[in-house]
Amino acid sequence: MSQSHVYPVNPEQASHSLIDKAGYQRMYEQSINDPETFWGEQAEQFLGFFQPWSKVLSGDFSKADVSWFKDAKLNACWNCVDRHLPQRADQTALIWEGDDPADSLPITYRDLHLAVCRLANVLKQRGVKKGDRVCIYMPMIPEAVYAMLACARIGAIHSVVFGGFSPDAIKDRILDSDCQSVITANQGIRGGKVIALKDNVDKALANCPNVHSVIVVKRTNAEVSFKQGRDVWYHDAIDQVDDQCAAEVMDAEDPLFILYTSGSTGKPKGVLHTTAGYLLSAAISHKYIFDYHEGDVFWCSADVGWVTGHSYIVYGPLCNGATSLVFEGVPTYPDASRFWQVIDKHQVTIFYTAPTALRALMSMGNEPVQATSRQSLRLLGSVGEPINPEAWEWYYNVVGEQRCPIVDTWWQTETGASMISPLAGVTDLKPGSATLPFFGVKPELLDADGNIITGAGKGNLVITQSWPSQIRTVFGDHQRCVDTYFTAYPGYYFTGDSARRDEDGYYWIIGRVDDVINVSGHRLGTAEIESALVLHPKVAEAAVVGFPHDIKGQAVYAYVTLMLGVEESDALRKELVAFVAGEIGAFARPDIIQFAPGLPKTRSGKIMRRILRKIAANETDNLGDTSTLADPSVVEQLIANRHNR
Ligand code: WT7
């Protein structure tokens, strides 16, 4: 990368950023060399405790067995709400912006406190206790945030399921963590379209006998069916309870939430995060990466159904007493100016979104951006997938008018908070690079034999020591946590990503090295889509890979072998696409289905995905070694019939 591609920190920004380059260096070194002193001091600054810890860090990282802030007592909801009441009861905590531009609502910290207390009391009244799991399946409305915080307040563990998941996917997640209560809405509205949330929940619950309580927010006027004794309207229930509810005293290592995410094998994993470490990482990263100052209006455009929404709509900003914008809609409704109109309307100062949204908007030209002012903006962020330099430049030049630094934040559901990212106003930027590690994060690149690569180079990205918001376990299956993250390279946390490090020590995330794909920022396991396809009675076998897509980043390419005698047709293709949407969710729909009478397999029967990936990407001139294939002629057939032309 040539030096002309470096965007040095602009001196004006540097003059009011929280720290400078030397400050970052000093804090970073302390965080790595003396993590206990560093994190102890940060915990005192960022969190309020009911009882102090006896030891900052203990346990064995290599066994995924760590404990942060042993014996400390606190409550995450209290930290995000009650703690702020003395100084900021009248400050806006949440700005809700509805799907319809005519709908918006400011919610103060006082309002938030009362709403959360009421819902917490409803949960208690309906038998939810500390340690119980609660499924939240909601549109992007304030009640989604209330629901998360109400769970945290009484010590229940929330499991938010993204509103785009199908009934089957909801059912799997409810059963896996044995959620006995659900909080949902009758319907959701996104981009002018209605989403049948309560219907989906009802379908899911047909196979979830343990669920005894469903609380339903009335988002639209639509009637929905209610099961007597099990279902209640949110508005009726909160009317009948007190608006005060003491926050439960929780241990630092008590679980805060479970969030399901896809891996390369098996069913989605319930990633479990605990209270103190998670909250501290969310808060400190929100402050330093986004150079958060009092008075900022912070907007993370993610959905609370993903970890980005957990950490940067809810826990990070609210823990810091910020104003956080909750957006119900989509970037292109009613038109392609929507993001920028919302920024003007609410005077957003910090905006955090995904490359896929930027690429989609970029393809619609500059006019929808330039029709708005965006003068309030001082900082931009990117998350979820590598941002290609073209999209970065567009974001920087057109959206930010060369005034706003871009923080490209690399992290994962499992890491809880950003791990590699610039600090706004501190780090010089290179388009496409997530730059340098955050406090407490010590990355390394390993070669195929597990040796550490020093200096510039490329390898598998691992983290070498514990950080406060690291995954604690996979719910109900600790061995799976150890096997997935701590076994490939003993002693290290393996991210599943590969990366390059340049001469300046900057990291460039290349992408997943496992069978996980990233479609429009949604993480999908190819194995999950394959399992869905083979459930269809006409499908004998399926192999799914990702292929490059201009807007989505990656798209889904499915090779499908039909049962003997089943006729190939476009109608069947459509049927299979709809079938996957029904099994997982619309966002997992294959973009291309190629009927494949044979798949490239080794003599031991293993599908050679490397070859399938190349055919899907149209890179067929260099397929590599195919001599181990049981039947090499299969490959020519697949190439002749490929669909991505
Ligand atoms: C995977 C994690 C981070 C929260 C949202 C996604 C990819 C994420 C970046 C980035 C390049 C990125 C990685 C990672 N990823 N951020 N800034 N640059 N790649 O969380 O669903 O758990 O997905 O997203 O491949 O492993 P997730």
Side-chain angles (χ1 to χ4, degrees):
M1 173 97 331
S2 74
Q3 288 303 304
S4 63
H5 283 94
V6 178
Y7 288 72
V9 173
N10 120 16
E12 209 275 319
Q13 280 154 13
S15 71
H16 40 73
S17 58
L18 295 166
I19 53 173
D20 58 11
K21 280 196 177 73
Y24 162 73
Q25 204 54 43
R26 211 170 36 243
M27 285 173 76
Y28 180 73
E29 274 159 26
Q30 191 198 22
S31 74
I32 297 301
N33 300 330
D34 186 6
E36 295 211 41
T37 305
F38 178 84
W39 288 112
E41 284 172 13
Q42 300 307 323
E44 268 163 26
Q45 273 187 37
F46 280 87
L47 306 180
F49 289 87
F50 302 144
Q51 180 187 303
W53 53 89
S54 58
K55 179 105 175 79
V56 172
L57 173 61
S58 45
D60 183 346
F61 180 60
S62 71
K63 297 202 173 87
D65 170 27
V66 294
S67 171
W68 281 88
F69 306 106
K70 204 176 199 59
D71 299 322
K73 305 286 180 203
L74 78 166
N75 182 287
C77 174
W78 186 88
N79 270 278
C80 290
V81 184
D82 307 47
R83 190 165 54 113
H84 304 311
L85 293 177
Q87 66 286 26
R88 48 178 101 248
D90 293 316
Q91 183 199 309
T92 303
L94 302 174
I95 299 172
W96 178 68
E97 168 75 14
D99 188 55
D100 180 335
D103 285 341
S104 56
L105 183 73
I107 295 143
T108 64
Y109 274 94
R110 178 183 289 108
D111 301 335
L112 181 63
H113 178 248
L114 298 177
V116 169
C117 283
R118 281 185 186 277
L119 183 53
N121 281 329
V122 170
L123 289 171
K124 278 186 161 164
Q125 196 185 57
R126 298 185 65 82
V128 181
K129 296 183 303 295
K130 180 172 176 171
D132 288 354
R133 277 77 62 203
V134 175
C135 174
I136 298 175
Y137 182 69
M138 287 279 252
M140 286 289 289
I141 54 178
E143 290 82 357
V145 181
Y146 305 162
M148 293 165 72
L149 292 172
C151 287
R153 192 166 191 87
I154 65 169
I157 304 166
H158 56 72
S159 167
V160 183
V161 175
F162 171 59
F165 276 111
S166 70
D168 262 318
I170 305 168
K171 176 203 72 184
D172 288 345
R173 286 158 179 73
I174 286 177
L175 292 178
D176 185 77
S177 47
D178 193 22
C179 294
Q180 305 195 352
S181 320
V182 179
I183 306 173
T184 189
N186 60 341
Q187 294 183 323
I189 311 175
R190 262 184 106 227
K193 297 197 192 82
V194 165
I195 305 151
L197 297 172
K198 175 62 163 63
D199 281 352
N200 288 348
V201 167
D202 285 341
K203 286 183 190 135
L205 295 191
N207 296 301
C208 301
N210 290 351
V211 174
H212 56 71
S213 168
V214 180
I215 299 168
V216 187
V217 177
K218 193 162 194 234
R219 172 64 188 95
T220 68
N221 289 321
E223 295 287 327
V224 285
S225 65
F226 261 48
K227 185 168 166 187
Q228 273 297 320
R230 187 192 71 182
D231 304 353
V232 286
W233 284 113
Y234 171 91
H235 59 267
D236 287 339
I238 57 165
D239 257 4
Q240 288 156 29
V241 292
D242 198 61
D243 62 8
Q244 297 298 313
C245 169
E248 193 75 31
V249 175
M250 303 298 288
D251 192 88
E253 283 296 341
D254 276 336
L256 179 60
F257 65 84
I258 297 166
L259 189 56
Y260 284 86
T261 193
S262 299
S264 42
T265 54
K267 291 204 166 201
K269 293 183 284 277
V271 171
L272 186 127
H273 284 288
T274 56
T275 305
Y278 168 79
L279 193 60
L280 176 56
S281 288
I284 186 177
S285 59
H286 170 257
K287 177 158 172 175
Y288 284 105
I289 291 175
F290 297 102
D291 188 42
Y292 169 73
H293 284 66
E294 193 74 41
D296 272 320
V297 176
F298 184 83
W299 180 17
C300 164
S301 78
D303 192 287
V304 291
W306 308 111
V307 75
T308 311
H310 282 58
S311 301
Y312 299 107
I313 294 175
V314 183
Y315 289 110
L318 297 181
C319 189
N320 289 335
T323 298
S324 179
L325 194 143
V326 175
F327 178 45
E328 186 180 31
V330 298
T332 49
Y333 179 86
D335 59 56
S337 285
R338 187 66 193 279
F339 268 179
W340 327 120
Q341 288 161 356
V342 172
I343 286 169
D344 286 350
K345 178 174 172 186
H346 299 294
Q347 292 295 290
V348 171
T349 57
I350 306 173
F351 179 58
Y352 188 33
T353 195
T356 186
L358 296 171
R359 287 190 298 263
L361 293 170
M362 187 168 80
S363 76
M364 297 166 136
N366 297 351
E367 199 278 326
V369 187
Q370 285 159 349
T372 63
S373 155
R374 288 157 286 109
Q375 277 310 304
S376 58
L377 278 180
R378 62 178 192 85
L379 205 158
L380 301 168
S382 171
V383 61
E385 47 176 323
I387 180 165
N388 48 310
E390 299 73 29
W392 196 102
E393 298 278 352
W394 185 78
Y395 202 19
Y396 186 79
N397 290 311
V398 180
V399 175
E401 295 175 333
Q402 304 178 346
R403 185 181 69 241
C404 309
I406 298 176
V407 292
D408 174 3
T409 62
W410 173 84
W411 55 297
Q412 312 178 297
T413 305
E414 295 88 338
T415 69
S418 291
M419 300 288 278
I420 301 182
S421 171
L423 306 189
V426 178
T427 315
D428 296 336
L429 305 172
K430 300 184 190 185
S433 170
T435 78
L436 300 170
F438 188 66
F439 304 139
V441 176
K442 186 149 187 275
E444 292 286 4
L445 301 178
L446 303 185
D447 67 19
D449 302 322
N451 301 311
I452 290 183
I453 296 166
T454 51
K458 188 181 137 180
N460 285 343
L461 179 64
V462 300
I463 312 293
T464 70
Q465 59 189 51
S466 183
W467 65 99
S469 59
Q470 85 169 64
I471 177 176
R472 293 303 193 272
T473 195
V474 168
F475 187 83
D477 194 350
H478 191 66
Q479 193 56 42
R480 193 163 173 211
C481 178
V482 175
D483 292 347
T484 310
Y485 307 106
F486 293 90
T487 302
Y489 300 109
Y492 300 107
Y493 167 84
F494 179 40
T495 62
D497 282 314
S498 66
R500 189 167 68 77
R501 191 171 45 221
D502 69 17
E503 307 70 35
D504 298 322
Y506 274 39
Y507 287 86
W508 301 73
I509 307 299
I510 298 168
R512 303 289 305 199
V513 294
D514 51 10
D515 292 315
V516 169
I517 56 177
N518 195 322
V519 179
S520 301
H522 298 321
R523 176 167 159 183
L524 290 167
T526 51
E528 256 175 280
I529 306 173
E530 289 164 4
S531 308
L533 282 166
V534 296
L535 281 177
H536 191 283
K538 291 179 180 161
V539 174
E541 194 168 17
V544 169
V545 296
F547 71 99
H549 186 281
D550 282 349
I551 288 175
K552 299 177 176 191
Q554 280 186 300
V556 179
Y557 198 114
Y559 298 87
V560 172
T561 309
L562 296 173
M563 291 289 190
L564 211 61
V566 175
E567 192 120 3
E568 299 177 1
S569 70
D570 281 337
L572 180 54
R573 263 199 198 92
K574 286 206 183 97
E575 190 180 321
L576 294 179
V577 168
F579 190 74
V580 172
E583 287 296 319
I584 303 174
F587 61 91
R589 273 195 300 239
D591 296 84
I592 294 180
I593 289 188
Q594 172 169 351
F595 294 120
L599 292 169
K601 291 183 184 170
T602 60
R603 282 179 209 103
S604 60
K606 199 170 165 342
I607 295 175
M608 289 181 81
R609 294 164 172 285
R610 175 177 58 83
I611 294 176
L612 294 177
R613 275 192 283 266
K614 290 217 159 161
I615 298 173
N618 252 340
E619 289 167 10
T620 48
D621 30 335
N622 172 27
L623 286 179
D625 183 12
T626 54
S627 62
T628 54
L629 283 175
D631 175 8
S633 74
V634 163
V635 174
E636 271 116 71
Q637 212 179 26
L638 286 174
I639 293 174
N641 294 317
R642 72 179 192 269
H643 279 248
N644 182 26
R645 290 165 199 270

